[in-house]
Amino acid sequence: MLRLDQAKAFDRVNHEYLWSFLLKYGLPRGFIDWLKILYAGAESFPLVNGWSSSPFEVGSGVRQGSPLSLLLYVFAIDPFIRRIDHGPLVGVRMSLEEPEATLRVVAYADNVTVFVSSGGEAEYVMSEVERYSEVSGSVINWDKCENLWLGGDEPSFGLPDTLPEPQSSAKVLGVQNWDSRLKIAAQKVDQWKGWSLTLRERVSLIKTYLLPLLIY
């Protein structure tokens, strides 16, 4: 399992790349022109201890805090995800009854996790990373990338030198492992068992305190 960390993911999106793929995906040209107007002439400046520099033009990235930014970033990274998913990766079979139900790559915004079964597959992923980075402006932060060997024994194949050695655990979306999440959930449920609650109150507790814990 390769967990790829994007360095300053939202700040590095190449605008020309983004506009071209929005058009490729069938968004109306007029709508794309409106987006271009929103991003045209954008400026920024550092503010440190009350001191600010002269503004400079921002030529890449999507604006953090804007409701559109996450959707625009999803459009930007989607071609990379599709290339991996439709590539030569064997993946992890999720169902014995449905052979096509295979997990090769999963992404949550810029958090990308890829499953490889050989050194050749890892090389393919690295080539696609390089290709995507060249056209989109993205950069992988190799120091923060993590690899987890899912087999029972020692790793049976090597990885490209760029990738770190497989570890015994890896953190995905801030979660080191599910055991800790389930333990916290069980503690909450044990605490609630002694309470006299109506069905509505139980549902409210689960929706407010339990589901966010597991969904995150």
Short mmCIF file of all heavy atoms in Angstrom, two decimals, residues 89-121:
data_model
loop_
_atom_site.label_atom_id
_atom_site.label_comp_id
_atom_site.label_asym_id
_atom_site.label_seq_id
_atom_site.Cartn_x
_atom_site.Cartn_y
_atom_site.Cartn_z
N LEU A 89 -2.42 -2.56 -12.86
CA LEU A 89 -2.35 -3.01 -11.48
C LEU A 89 -3.34 -4.15 -11.20
O LEU A 89 -4.49 -4.08 -11.62
CB LEU A 89 -2.64 -1.85 -10.52
CG LEU A 89 -1.46 -0.95 -10.13
CD1 LEU A 89 -0.87 -0.28 -11.36
CD2 LEU A 89 -1.89 0.10 -9.11
N VAL A 90 -2.88 -5.17 -10.49
CA VAL A 90 -3.74 -6.29 -10.11
C VAL A 90 -4.76 -5.84 -9.08
O VAL A 90 -5.94 -6.19 -9.15
CB VAL A 90 -2.90 -7.46 -9.57
CG1 VAL A 90 -3.80 -8.57 -9.04
CG2 VAL A 90 -1.99 -8.00 -10.67
N GLY A 91 -4.31 -5.08 -8.09
CA GLY A 91 -5.20 -4.55 -7.06
C GLY A 91 -5.57 -5.59 -6.01
O GLY A 91 -5.09 -6.72 -5.99
N VAL A 92 -6.46 -5.17 -5.11
CA VAL A 92 -6.94 -6.03 -4.03
C VAL A 92 -8.37 -6.44 -4.34
O VAL A 92 -9.25 -5.58 -4.50
CB VAL A 92 -6.90 -5.28 -2.67
CG1 VAL A 92 -7.44 -6.17 -1.56
CG2 VAL A 92 -5.48 -4.83 -2.36
N ARG A 93 -8.59 -7.74 -4.43
CA ARG A 93 -9.92 -8.25 -4.75
C ARG A 93 -10.84 -8.10 -3.54
O ARG A 93 -10.54 -8.60 -2.45
CB ARG A 93 -9.82 -9.70 -5.18
CG ARG A 93 -11.10 -10.25 -5.81
CD ARG A 93 -10.82 -11.58 -6.47
NE ARG A 93 -12.03 -12.19 -7.00
CZ ARG A 93 -12.05 -13.35 -7.64
NH1 ARG A 93 -10.94 -14.00 -7.85
NH2 ARG A 93 -13.18 -13.84 -8.10
N MET A 94 -11.96 -7.42 -3.72
CA MET A 94 -12.84 -7.09 -2.61
C MET A 94 -14.01 -8.06 -2.46
O MET A 94 -14.70 -8.05 -1.45
CB MET A 94 -13.39 -5.67 -2.78
CG MET A 94 -12.32 -4.60 -2.95
SD MET A 94 -11.19 -4.53 -1.54
CE MET A 94 -12.29 -3.89 -0.28
N SER A 95 -14.25 -8.90 -3.49
CA SER A 95 -15.38 -9.82 -3.43
C SER A 95 -15.08 -11.07 -4.24
O SER A 95 -14.59 -10.97 -5.38
CB SER A 95 -16.65 -9.13 -3.96
OG SER A 95 -17.71 -10.05 -4.12
N LEU A 96 -15.36 -12.24 -3.67
CA LEU A 96 -15.15 -13.49 -4.39
C LEU A 96 -16.22 -13.69 -5.46
O LEU A 96 -15.99 -14.32 -6.48
CB LEU A 96 -15.17 -14.66 -3.41
CG LEU A 96 -14.03 -14.70 -2.39
CD1 LEU A 96 -14.21 -15.89 -1.44
CD2 LEU A 96 -12.69 -14.80 -3.09
N GLU A 97 -17.42 -13.13 -5.21
CA GLU A 97 -18.52 -13.29 -6.15
C GLU A 97 -18.41 -12.32 -7.33
O GLU A 97 -18.95 -12.58 -8.40
CB GLU A 97 -19.86 -13.08 -5.45
CG GLU A 97 -20.25 -14.17 -4.45
CD GLU A 97 -19.47 -14.07 -3.15
OE1 GLU A 97 -18.96 -12.97 -2.88
OE2 GLU A 97 -19.38 -15.08 -2.43
N GLU A 98 -17.73 -11.19 -7.13
CA GLU A 98 -17.63 -10.18 -8.17
C GLU A 98 -16.16 -9.90 -8.47
O GLU A 98 -15.53 -9.06 -7.83
CB GLU A 98 -18.33 -8.89 -7.74
CG GLU A 98 -19.80 -9.07 -7.42
CD GLU A 98 -20.44 -7.77 -6.96
OE1 GLU A 98 -20.02 -6.71 -7.43
OE2 GLU A 98 -21.35 -7.84 -6.12
N PRO A 99 -15.58 -10.61 -9.45
CA PRO A 99 -14.15 -10.43 -9.75
C PRO A 99 -13.79 -9.00 -10.15
O PRO A 99 -12.65 -8.58 -9.96
CB PRO A 99 -13.93 -11.40 -10.92
CG PRO A 99 -15.05 -12.39 -10.83
CD PRO A 99 -16.21 -11.63 -10.27
N GLU A 100 -14.75 -8.26 -10.71
CA GLU A 100 -14.45 -6.90 -11.15
C GLU A 100 -14.36 -5.92 -9.97
O GLU A 100 -13.90 -4.79 -10.13
CB GLU A 100 -15.51 -6.41 -12.15
CG GLU A 100 -16.90 -6.20 -11.57
CD GLU A 100 -17.72 -7.48 -11.51
OE1 GLU A 100 -17.15 -8.54 -11.83
OE2 GLU A 100 -18.90 -7.41 -11.13
N ALA A 101 -14.81 -6.36 -8.78
CA ALA A 101 -14.76 -5.50 -7.59
C ALA A 101 -13.35 -5.53 -7.02
O ALA A 101 -13.05 -6.25 -6.06
CB ALA A 101 -15.78 -5.96 -6.56
N THR A 102 -12.46 -4.77 -7.64
CA THR A 102 -11.05 -4.76 -7.27
C THR A 102 -10.63 -3.34 -6.89
O THR A 102 -10.94 -2.39 -7.61
CB THR A 102 -10.18 -5.27 -8.43
OG1 THR A 102 -10.60 -6.59 -8.77
CG2 THR A 102 -8.71 -5.29 -8.05
N LEU A 103 -9.92 -3.21 -5.79
CA LEU A 103 -9.46 -1.92 -5.31
C LEU A 103 -8.01 -1.71 -5.72
O LEU A 103 -7.12 -2.45 -5.30
CB LEU A 103 -9.59 -1.84 -3.79
CG LEU A 103 -9.18 -0.52 -3.13
CD1 LEU A 103 -10.09 0.61 -3.59
CD2 LEU A 103 -9.22 -0.65 -1.61
N ARG A 104 -7.77 -0.71 -6.56
CA ARG A 104 -6.42 -0.39 -7.02
C ARG A 104 -5.93 0.94 -6.44
O ARG A 104 -4.76 1.09 -6.13
CB ARG A 104 -6.37 -0.34 -8.55
CG ARG A 104 -6.73 -1.66 -9.21
CD ARG A 104 -6.69 -1.54 -10.73
NE ARG A 104 -7.05 -2.81 -11.36
CZ ARG A 104 -8.29 -3.16 -11.64
NH1 ARG A 104 -9.31 -2.34 -11.34
NH2 ARG A 104 -8.54 -4.32 -12.20
N VAL A 105 -6.84 1.89 -6.36
CA VAL A 105 -6.46 3.22 -5.87
C VAL A 105 -7.67 3.83 -5.20
O VAL A 105 -8.81 3.62 -5.62
CB VAL A 105 -5.96 4.11 -7.03
CG1 VAL A 105 -7.00 4.24 -8.13
CG2 VAL A 105 -5.56 5.50 -6.53
N VAL A 106 -7.44 4.57 -4.13
CA VAL A 106 -8.49 5.30 -3.45
C VAL A 106 -7.94 6.68 -3.11
O VAL A 106 -6.77 6.82 -2.75
CB VAL A 106 -8.97 4.54 -2.18
CG1 VAL A 106 -7.84 4.38 -1.18
CG2 VAL A 106 -10.14 5.26 -1.54
N ALA A 107 -8.79 7.69 -3.25
CA ALA A 107 -8.34 9.06 -3.01
C ALA A 107 -9.40 9.85 -2.27
O ALA A 107 -10.60 9.68 -2.53
CB ALA A 107 -8.01 9.74 -4.34
N TYR A 108 -8.96 10.66 -1.35
CA TYR A 108 -9.82 11.64 -0.68
C TYR A 108 -9.14 12.98 -0.86
O TYR A 108 -8.15 13.28 -0.17
CB TYR A 108 -9.99 11.28 0.80
CG TYR A 108 -10.95 12.19 1.53
CD1 TYR A 108 -12.32 11.95 1.49
CD2 TYR A 108 -10.50 13.28 2.25
CE1 TYR A 108 -13.21 12.77 2.14
CE2 TYR A 108 -11.37 14.11 2.91
CZ TYR A 108 -12.73 13.86 2.86
OH TYR A 108 -13.61 14.68 3.51
N ALA A 109 -9.63 13.77 -1.83
CA ALA A 109 -8.96 15.01 -2.23
C ALA A 109 -7.52 14.67 -2.62
O ALA A 109 -7.31 13.86 -3.53
CB ALA A 109 -9.03 16.06 -1.13
N ASP A 110 -6.52 15.23 -1.93
CA ASP A 110 -5.13 15.01 -2.33
C ASP A 110 -4.49 13.82 -1.63
O ASP A 110 -3.32 13.52 -1.87
CB ASP A 110 -4.30 16.27 -2.06
CG ASP A 110 -4.30 16.65 -0.59
OD1 ASP A 110 -5.38 16.62 0.02
OD2 ASP A 110 -3.24 16.98 -0.05
N ASN A 111 -5.24 13.12 -0.78
CA ASN A 111 -4.71 11.93 -0.11
C ASN A 111 -4.95 10.71 -1.00
O ASN A 111 -6.09 10.25 -1.14
CB ASN A 111 -5.38 11.73 1.24
CG ASN A 111 -4.99 12.79 2.24
OD1 ASN A 111 -3.96 12.67 2.90
ND2 ASN A 111 -5.79 13.84 2.34
N VAL A 112 -3.89 10.19 -1.60
CA VAL A 112 -3.99 9.10 -2.58
C VAL A 112 -3.30 7.86 -2.03
O VAL A 112 -2.15 7.92 -1.59
CB VAL A 112 -3.36 9.50 -3.92
CG1 VAL A 112 -3.45 8.35 -4.93
CG2 VAL A 112 -4.03 10.75 -4.48
N THR A 113 -4.00 6.73 -2.06
CA THR A 113 -3.44 5.45 -1.64
C THR A 113 -3.55 4.47 -2.79
O THR A 113 -4.63 4.28 -3.35
CB THR A 113 -4.19 4.90 -0.41
OG1 THR A 113 -4.16 5.88 0.64
CG2 THR A 113 -3.54 3.62 0.08
N VAL A 114 -2.42 3.85 -3.15
CA VAL A 114 -2.36 2.93 -4.29
C VAL A 114 -1.89 1.56 -3.80
O VAL A 114 -0.99 1.47 -2.95
CB VAL A 114 -1.40 3.44 -5.39
CG1 VAL A 114 -1.46 2.54 -6.62
CG2 VAL A 114 -1.74 4.89 -5.76
N PHE A 115 -2.48 0.49 -4.34
CA PHE A 115 -2.12 -0.88 -3.97
C PHE A 115 -1.35 -1.52 -5.13
O PHE A 115 -1.88 -1.63 -6.24
CB PHE A 115 -3.36 -1.70 -3.64
CG PHE A 115 -4.14 -1.14 -2.47
CD1 PHE A 115 -5.13 -0.19 -2.68
CD2 PHE A 115 -3.87 -1.54 -1.18
CE1 PHE A 115 -5.84 0.35 -1.62
CE2 PHE A 115 -4.57 -1.01 -0.11
CZ PHE A 115 -5.56 -0.07 -0.32
N VAL A 116 -0.12 -1.93 -4.87
CA VAL A 116 0.71 -2.56 -5.90
C VAL A 116 1.09 -3.97 -5.46
O VAL A 116 1.22 -4.25 -4.27
CB VAL A 116 1.98 -1.73 -6.18
CG1 VAL A 116 1.61 -0.36 -6.73
CG2 VAL A 116 2.85 -1.59 -4.94
N SER A 117 1.27 -4.86 -6.45
CA SER A 117 1.55 -6.27 -6.17
C SER A 117 2.90 -6.73 -6.71
O SER A 117 3.22 -7.91 -6.64
CB SER A 117 0.44 -7.15 -6.77
OG SER A 117 -0.82 -6.78 -6.27
N SER A 118 3.67 -5.79 -7.27
CA SER A 118 4.98 -6.17 -7.81
C SER A 118 5.82 -4.90 -7.97
O SER A 118 5.29 -3.78 -7.95
CB SER A 118 4.84 -6.87 -9.16
OG SER A 118 4.35 -5.97 -10.14
N GLY A 119 7.11 -5.11 -8.15
CA GLY A 119 8.00 -3.98 -8.41
C GLY A 119 7.64 -3.28 -9.70
O GLY A 119 7.75 -2.05 -9.81
N GLY A 120 7.20 -4.06 -10.71
CA GLY A 120 6.81 -3.46 -11.98
C GLY A 120 5.61 -2.54 -11.84
O GLY A 120 5.55 -1.48 -12.46
N GLU A 121 4.65 -2.95 -11.01
CA GLU A 121 3.49 -2.08 -10.78
C GLU A 121 3.90 -0.80 -10.07
O GLU A 121 3.38 0.28 -10.37
CB GLU A 121 2.44 -2.83 -9.95
CG GLU A 121 1.76 -3.96 -10.70
CD GLU A 121 0.59 -4.55 -9.92
OE1 GLU A 121 0.27 -4.05 -8.83
OE2 GLU A 121 0.00 -5.51 -10.43
#
